[in-house]
Amino acid sequence: VGDETRQIALAERDQLDIQLNKLTHSLSGDERFNVNTSIGEGTFGRVWHVIDRDLKRSVAIKIFKGSTDNAQAVCQEEVKFVGRLDHPSIPTVYDMGVTDEGQPFLMMKLLEGESLDKIINRLRSGDAFTHQRYSFVKRADVIIQLLRVLVKSHEVGILHRDIKPENILMSSDGHLSLIDWGCAVELCDVKEQSQVCGTPLFMPPEQILGIGLSAASDLFSVGGVAYELFCLQAPAPTEGTLHEVLRAILTYEPDQVDQIHHPAQGYVPSEFYITIMRALRRDPIERPQSAQEMMIMLQRALDGHIDVVCPRTRIKSTLARFSRWIDRDPYRSVPYFYLTLSLIIL
């Protein structure tokens, strides 16, 4: 098995080298671009780290895959959507063009950072530094940042449709970027979309069936990302063929987040239960109806306004209210507390 894995890795590396050589030849003819290395590969193309000699800066160039006509169509769609989304968490497009081999490309701002799936893998492995950096509070902040992006995109009528950890980048200072808008679609056009696009593990049932997409469809995907980020396990079955996985997702009910124990972190705090599990409801009507609503739900939990759904949340809600009472009038509340405690003891 080890030899076979090494052979596959070598074959993939050789194929990548061939692509790199072709791209270098195709883009460097005018001596403007110096192709450095591959950054990653998505559904519709591969992204490369390139030095733009004219502008004297590093950029990302996304080369679209597939036949020339299809690749050109996807490229134009992505430009159309990203160009309308003026947001610091969405990569800026600088230019577009065609390689010598006829493949369309976008030149975009090079985003520094690490994909969220790699961070989750380190959390899953029990890496102490990553757990210290990504506390549950910080993980909630990551989801809130993601929701802020969707507030903007839904506001202008655009669904992302492929929200997953691999498409989320985190910079060293904790800034989030949502990338790969190749599956994006106009909200007004969703009834006409017959092609299923996205990643099965994070797709809502209506996206799998190709019917009735709405803002709540993206929020299901956000719920799946939050579930994996908090619980360190997949939000849906991963075993079996693609057809079996898709069928399972249509009926699957994930375990409640606050009942999942991971040896590296213990149990997920109960105050995040309602937000995450509600986003993962199969019926889109039962989910939060906007990114703003889901963001408010998470922020309330962080601020100590905890919905009581179990004994744990009742205790935490009571303690949070008591803490807010102390903060409102600390010079009176503390003596009153000790006086009340003394009377109870006596």
Side-chain angles (χ1 to χ4, degrees), residues 193-226:
Q193 293 292 318
S194 58
Q195 180 183 9
V196 176
C197 185
T199 303
L201 193 58
F202 299 94
M203 288 169 61
E206 68 271 19
Q207 191 167 332
I208 294 173
L209 297 172
I211 56 172
L213 296 182
S214 66
S217 304
D218 270 353
L219 299 185
F220 182 95
S221 302
V222 174
V225 171

Side-chain angles (χ1 to χ4, degrees), residues 6 8 36 39 41 59 67 69 80 85 93 132 134 152 163 168 209 223 230 243 246 248 275 310:
R6 280 192 294 272
I8 292 173
N36 193 344
I39 298 174
E41 185 173 14
V59 296
S67 66
D69 290 342
K80 179 178 73 173
L85 296 170
V93 174
Q132 183 179 15
Y134 285 92
K152 173 65 176 179
I163 298 169
I168 298 168
L209 297 172
F230 278 78
H243 181 69
L246 290 175
T275 305
C310 65

Side-chain angles (χ1 to χ4, degrees), residues 310-322:
C310 65
R312 276 187 286 173
T313 49
R314 180 171 295 281
I315 293 171
K316 298 186 84 166
S317 177
T318 302
L319 291 175
R321 288 200 304 272
F322 180 66

